[in-house]
Amino acid sequence: MYTLLIADDEANERALIRFLLRDFHKDLIILEARNGKEALTAIQKKHVDILLSDIQMPFLNGIELATETKKDFPDIEILFFSGHDDFTYVQNALSLKAVNYILKPVNPAEFHKALTDIIKRLDSRIIEFSKSEQYIESSFHERCTDLAGTDSADSSGSSEEDTLLLQNINLAIKLKQPEQLTSLVHELLNKYASATKISHIYIRYTCTSLLKVLMSSCVTLGESEFEESAKKIYSFQHFYDISHLLETYLDKAVSLMNQNPEETNYAVSLVKQYINQHYREDLSLDALAELVYLSPNYLSNIFTKTAGESINKYIRQIRIQRAQELLLHTNMKIADISIQVGYPNPSYFCKIFQNQFGTTPERFRNPSSGKEGSCE
């Protein structure tokens, strides 16, 4: 049984989708939202597996809705409906890893195929991660008493309570409150330690959401580590093992909080680590400041004072250093190297490189060639 949300500001469009879903009624709980803002509120209150969204909607359009949803619920399946004039929006939709998009007016056969593929993908996750539903359900809570004790009351497991807990956990991280963070995480873990009547798939989903929140406090942890740990959550046979994994990331978050938040070297160090791992991406001062919960101006000032150079100069040096390595040790085209090190415009990359070294990337690679070379 999966929950599906239809987000469309046109009542007749929602009615049409409901009509097309009639063959899936036995497998789906169907919700509706009249605009993007209403849809986001519904998703935050109740676990949703599939989002069917129009592109053009008031308050939040489909792309904005998907972007906000993916932050907290990365595993949600998304199917967009769009008009022919929405092609640029559709490109953004695909970058958000939406499963597909369907042009309006909706073709019933195309819609059924797209939805069937989504449901098969959801089913395959359960098969892949759970080995056998019967085996997991009977053994998943086998070692829970180590965490919650035999007298722990059974929880209702409401998604509303979990959403609120996760929001409070995220707030505790932002406010740097390690004791509050620890208490809230333990509250959530203890809630499911002996909750034998609650779907193990839902428990795993909630724990994966908790994992993402905890990892957000460690800016040096990448997406690949999150994906690896999330897979473990879905493959562990006992809740004890899931809890132990989450406790590990809780300890990391608390350890970071217990360092002096006023110590400028700490914030600068985190920013440097992040730049070294994400130099290929668009690194704005605002985004970097948000990572360490400082204002952009304050971060800029303490970075320059501590590192002896501005953030922009540090980013440029890291990128150019990586470009040197690629020029000397690979046969990549200069235009490709430019993109690889975070400069989408090859001409601008060549200009930056020449200002730094007094020579073009081509002459740096082949000093004896005598060629000026190009960035193509």
Side-chain angles (χ1 to χ4, degrees):
M1 183 72 70
Y2 298 113
T3 299
L4 178 149
L5 174 64
I6 306 169
D8 198 307
D9 58 323
E10 297 290 341
N12 59 339
E13 293 286 351
R14 298 197 303 273
L16 172 62
I17 298 303
R18 269 194 174 273
F19 176 76
L20 294 176
L21 287 170
R22 66 192 186 281
D23 294 335
F24 295 93
H25 275 186
K26 62 182 181 299
D27 299 316
L28 297 171
I29 298 171
I30 302 174
L31 307 175
E32 291 187 23
R34 295 168 296 180
N35 55 64
K37 185 176 180 180
E38 188 176 293
L40 183 60
T41 299
I43 291 170
Q44 291 172 339
K45 288 184 176 180
K46 183 175 179 63
H47 171 68
V48 173
D49 301 288
I50 307 169
L51 170 63
L52 306 183
S53 178
D54 187 21
I55 294 287
Q56 298 288 2
M57 292 187 295
F59 301 110
L60 286 176
N61 65 37
I63 303 303
E64 293 168 335
L65 169 62
T67 301
E68 290 302 312
T69 299
K70 282 284 188 178
K71 289 179 181 177
D72 295 323
F73 308 101
D75 294 330
I76 193 170
E77 293 282 347
I78 301 175
L79 175 63
F80 283 104
F81 303 111
S82 70
H84 288 278
D85 296 334
D86 296 332
F87 184 70
T88 55
Y89 286 100
V90 169
Q91 289 179 308
N92 290 333
L94 296 178
S95 72
L96 288 167
K97 299 181 180 178
V99 61
N100 210 333
Y101 69 93
I102 294 177
L103 292 176
K104 291 183 176 181
V106 175
N107 179 289
E110 184 182 2
F111 173 75
H112 276 217
K113 181 182 184 304
L115 189 59
T116 298
D117 289 343
I118 289 174
I119 291 176
K120 284 181 179 178
R121 185 157 47 251
L122 289 171
D123 289 342
S124 70
R125 291 179 192 173
I126 297 175
I127 294 171
E128 177 184 355
F129 291 135
S130 304
K131 295 184 180 178
S132 139
E133 192 76 16
Q134 182 178 2
Y135 172 73
I136 295 294
E137 288 289 6
S138 63
S139 64
F140 184 60
H141 300 280
E142 191 173 292
R143 294 168 62 188
C144 292
T145 53
D146 292 339
L147 291 166
T150 56
D151 295 329
S152 177
D154 196 24
S155 168
S156 64
S158 70
S159 59
E160 292 84 359
E161 293 176 0
D162 294 340
T163 298
L164 181 59
L165 262 176
L166 288 169
Q167 289 174 346
N168 288 335
I169 288 170
N170 191 44
L171 182 61
I173 290 174
K174 289 185 176 180
L175 296 179
K176 291 182 167 47
Q177 298 175 331
E179 293 182 1
Q180 178 74 351
L181 172 64
T182 301
S183 175
L184 290 169
V185 170
H186 286 164
E187 180 181 346
L188 186 59
L189 293 179
N190 289 338
K191 177 179 180 180
Y192 291 115
S194 58
T196 57
K197 295 182 181 180
I198 299 175
S199 163
H200 73 91
I201 296 299
Y202 174 75
I203 295 175
R204 294 173 195 274
Y205 177 85
T206 302
C207 288
T208 303
S209 300
L210 173 58
L211 171 70
K212 191 168 188 65
V213 172
L214 290 174
M215 290 185 69
S216 70
S217 69
C218 309
V219 298
T220 59
L221 299 178
E223 186 67 22
S224 60
E225 181 165 348
F226 168 74
E227 291 176 359
E228 187 65 28
S229 296
K231 287 180 181 179
K232 291 179 181 179
I233 287 177
Y234 278 94
S235 61
F236 283 142
Q237 297 176 11
H238 305 288
F239 184 79
Y240 175 89
D241 298 311
I242 293 177
S243 180
H244 180 72
L245 175 66
L246 292 171
E247 289 277 4
T248 300
Y249 286 104
L250 172 61
D251 290 343
K252 290 181 180 181
V254 170
S255 177
L256 287 172
M257 287 183 189
N258 284 333
Q259 298 185 49
N260 184 358
E262 299 300 325
E263 185 180 351
T264 58
N265 288 340
Y266 168 59
V268 171
S269 176
L270 285 181
V271 170
K272 282 184 174 181
Q273 290 180 50
Y274 188 85
I275 291 171
N276 275 271
Q277 294 181 1
H278 299 268
Y279 60 87
R280 301 176 183 87
E281 304 169 13
D282 181 21
L283 298 172
S284 69
L285 177 60
D286 287 348
L288 293 172
E290 187 176 347
L291 287 171
V292 289
Y293 309 111
L294 298 174
S295 71
N297 286 338
Y298 183 68
L299 174 61
S300 178
N301 290 335
I302 66 169
F303 191 99
T304 301
K305 182 177 179 180
T306 304
E309 59 186 352
S310 69
I311 289 181
N312 285 337
K313 185 175 181 181
Y314 183 80
I315 293 172
R316 184 166 61 248
Q317 287 182 341
I318 294 299
R319 288 172 170 171
I320 294 300
Q321 180 182 348
R322 180 55 179 153
Q324 285 180 279
E325 296 170 1
L326 294 174
L327 286 167
L328 294 176
H329 303 297
T330 76
N331 293 320
M332 290 176 63
K333 293 181 179 179
I334 292 173
D336 293 335
I337 291 176
S338 173
I339 295 172
Q340 181 72 13
V341 300
Y343 291 111
N345 186 328
S347 296
Y348 181 68
F349 163 68
C350 286
K351 180 180 179 181
I352 293 293
F353 193 95
Q354 190 160 10
N355 287 343
Q356 184 84 7
F357 296 103
T359 186
T360 65
E362 181 65 32
R363 279 190 172 177
F364 179 86
R365 170 180 269 171
N366 300 304
S368 60
S369 67
K371 295 181 180 179
E372 280 293 334
S374 69
C375 285
E376 301 303 323

